[in-house]
Amino acid sequence: MGDIKKVVLAYSGGLDTSIIIPWLKENYDNCEVIAVSGDVGQATELEGLEEKALATGASKLYIEDLNKEFIEEYVFPTIKADAVYESKYLLGTSFARPIIAKRIVEIALAEGADAICHGCTGKGNDQVRFELAIKAFAPDMKIIAPWREWSLRSRDEEIDYAEAHQIPLKITRETNYSKDRNIWHISHEGLDLEDPANEPMYGKEGFLELGVSPEQAPDVPTYVTISFEKGIPVAIDGEKMDAVSLVKKLNALGGANGIGIVDLVENRLVGMKSRGVYETPGGTILYHAHNKLEEITLDRDTYHYKQSVALRFAELVYFGQWYTPLRKALSAFVDSTQETVTGDVKLKLYKGNIIDAGVTSPYSLYDPDIATFDEDEVYDQKDSAGFINLFGLPIKVQAKKGLIQG
């Protein structure tokens, strides 16, 4: 390990990375440790981070503001794709890792570092996401993953290590959920959530952080109108907003109405199932509104094919394959479908529910003169008989041959 003189650490100040700094210095010949925190909207989690990093042995701390780039270049392209992992997970942690890892690589190269270190466990998805991004931009860089090296085997043992080294922590053994927060979402894992038979303690003080449970939401609905231009949300209730402000505004509206709470047992990339609770209030609203607008602006074949693309896109994001030719190609396809996804979507938020309240677009393919059940002059219903005869011809031929089984 003597060849490692300088290490750049992906640093959050949480339990794992808090103890990694002294662990690196103990196990890598007192190497220099440079901590890097990618600010993707962790809010108060960044407070006091520099003081803590330096006090535990880091030579310096970079805090990089990545919020705008994160939303515009990672989140919005994923929304445009309608990509949702396993029908529930809005990929909050998944698409935050590539942008953080990319910036860490840039700093590591600028600092002349010998290695990059991360605090991801050997059981999780994040180790893959970080390391694939590192390989994309620094293919020869050494990667140190302490969870794959040290003798610590649990979060309790990590706390023991922190206490022995007098490292301050913001958690206790009783509140030791594994959490990940950014501007898009917050995840909760561990403790009682490890048993899927346990109902999450939504009413417990301090559990939900971005909003309230549906039971605690107001008894009156909140209406909101979201405007899109080419698939990108640009305004709320007629007020133009930048990407970061727009997501924050919808987080507040959604959180207050109990929107976007998901309890999911998901299939991790490494092969196991894991249980987590996700809060994604603003994101849930945006996904719903975007899909509603596509209902009236995309033709049937494009809309249906895009659903299959959404599934694959979600897998690529979840698996950490953002910087791949396939993800780039799928994004090009998605962008081509969004040329007409412009308009306004009105929604009613009520006790955890999102209720459609109207949608308009200058590119709407919905024609009331054709769709009406009343008398019209533009659609001859007799035409449908010939269509059905041709569409059903294969079935008719098979039936005559006795090949149709009931």
Side-chain angles (χ1 to χ4, degrees):
M1 297 183 181
D3 58 332
I4 303 298
K5 303 297 183 184
K6 184 184 294 187
V7 179
V8 170
L9 169 66
Y11 185 73
S12 68
L15 175 58
D16 296 329
T17 58
S18 291
I19 67 173
I20 283 176
I21 294 176
W23 181 88
L24 282 171
K25 298 184 79 67
E26 289 174 0
N27 291 273
Y28 282 86
D29 299 326
N30 198 34
C31 64
E32 180 183 358
V33 179
I34 297 172
V36 179
S37 294
D39 177 4
V40 286
Q42 298 93 314
T44 57
E45 292 181 11
L46 297 172
E47 294 177 1
L49 214 56
E50 183 174 17
E51 180 182 0
K52 182 176 181 178
L54 297 180
T56 51
S59 63
K60 67 175 75 171
L61 170 68
Y62 289 88
I63 297 180
E64 302 293 293
D65 184 355
L66 305 174
N67 283 273
K68 183 176 184 292
E69 182 182 356
F70 174 49
I71 296 298
E72 292 181 350
E73 298 186 24
Y74 295 78
V75 175
F76 283 174
T78 306
I79 294 175
K80 288 193 292 184
D82 297 302
V84 180
Y85 186 70
E86 297 191 337
S87 303
K88 286 186 176 181
Y89 178 39
L90 300 187
L91 299 165
T93 299
S94 306
F95 47 33
R97 295 305 186 232
I99 184 175
I100 293 172
K102 179 184 177 184
R103 186 64 186 124
I104 289 171
V105 169
E106 291 169 348
I107 290 173
L109 294 176
E111 287 279 357
D114 304 303
I116 291 174
C117 179
H118 64 74
C120 308
T121 75
K123 289 184 176 181
N125 300 304
D126 279 347
Q127 59 181 332
V128 182
R129 296 165 183 155
F130 267 112
E131 294 187 28
L132 291 189
I134 293 169
K135 292 179 187 299
F137 298 102
D140 296 323
M141 180 71 69
K142 179 176 175 58
I143 298 172
I144 300 173
W147 270 103
R148 303 201 292 253
E149 296 183 24
W150 61 24
S151 59
L152 304 177
R153 288 294 175 263
S154 70
R155 291 176 71 80
D156 270 344
E157 291 186 6
E158 286 186 284
I159 294 175
D160 291 339
Y161 184 97
E163 291 175 347
H165 289 74
Q166 298 181 322
I167 300 171
L169 299 174
K170 294 182 179 180
I171 61 171
T172 67
R173 296 179 195 273
E174 292 73 29
T175 62
N176 186 23
Y177 287 107
S178 176
K179 298 188 178 187
D180 177 75
R181 179 172 184 168
N182 57 46
I183 191 175
W184 184 248
H185 90 147
I186 185 168
S187 64
H188 310 260
E189 294 179 311
L191 298 182
D192 55 297
L193 297 179
E194 291 189 345
D195 185 350
N198 293 331
E199 179 182 4
M201 295 184 289
Y202 297 129
K204 181 179 179 181
E205 184 179 355
F207 181 76
L208 294 176
E209 297 188 26
L210 297 183
V212 300
S213 68
E215 294 91 337
Q216 297 169 314
D219 293 329
V220 294
T222 297
Y223 284 88
V224 61
T225 299
I226 304 170
S227 301
F228 291 82
E229 293 179 4
K230 296 186 176 182
I232 297 174
V234 295
I236 297 176
D237 295 330
E239 179 185 355
K240 290 278 189 178
M241 306 181 78
D242 65 85
V244 173
S245 298
L246 186 143
V247 171
K248 287 182 176 180
K249 176 69 173 180
L250 290 179
N251 275 338
L253 290 174
N257 286 279
I259 303 296
I261 302 170
V262 168
D263 180 357
L264 171 64
V265 176
E266 69 197 59
N267 289 292
R268 284 182 177 173
L269 173 59
V270 295
M272 69 185 71
K273 289 184 181 289
S274 66
R275 197 270 189 101
V277 170
Y278 297 100
E279 299 177 62
T280 321
T284 301
I285 295 170
L286 282 175
Y287 265 87
H288 187 107
H290 178 261
N291 187 260
K292 188 64 182 178
L293 186 57
E294 286 189 326
E295 284 182 11
I296 67 169
T297 56
L298 296 187
D299 65 277
R300 180 192 64 198
D301 289 347
T302 300
Y303 187 73
H304 288 181
Y305 189 78
K306 190 169 178 288
Q307 289 177 323
S308 66
V309 170
L311 178 63
R312 189 69 182 101
F313 198 105
E315 289 179 337
L316 290 173
V317 177
Y318 187 85
F319 296 163
Q321 296 174 297
W322 185 270
Y323 303 115
T324 61
L326 179 55
R327 199 283 308 165
K328 184 178 180 180
L330 292 185
S331 283
F333 164 77
V334 168
D335 286 345
S336 72
T337 70
Q338 301 298 290
E339 289 297 319
T340 60
V341 185
T342 294
D344 299 326
V345 183
K346 185 178 182 180
L347 301 172
K348 179 164 64 174
L349 313 179
Y350 183 67
K351 289 189 174 296
N353 297 291
I354 302 177
I355 303 165
D356 297 326
V359 56
T360 60
S361 171
Y363 302 104
S364 175
L365 299 179
Y366 178 83
D367 188 336
D369 291 335
I370 294 177
T372 181
F373 284 100
D374 294 331
E375 182 178 352
D376 68 84
E377 303 295 332
V378 297
Y379 186 90
D380 189 344
Q381 299 196 27
K382 295 178 182 178
D383 292 343
S384 63
F387 166 75
I388 294 170
N389 285 336
L390 291 176
F391 191 65
L393 183 59
I395 294 177
K396 183 175 181 179
V397 171
Q398 292 176 73
K400 285 180 173 291
K401 297 290 186 179
L403 299 177
I404 301 294
Q405 302 297 320

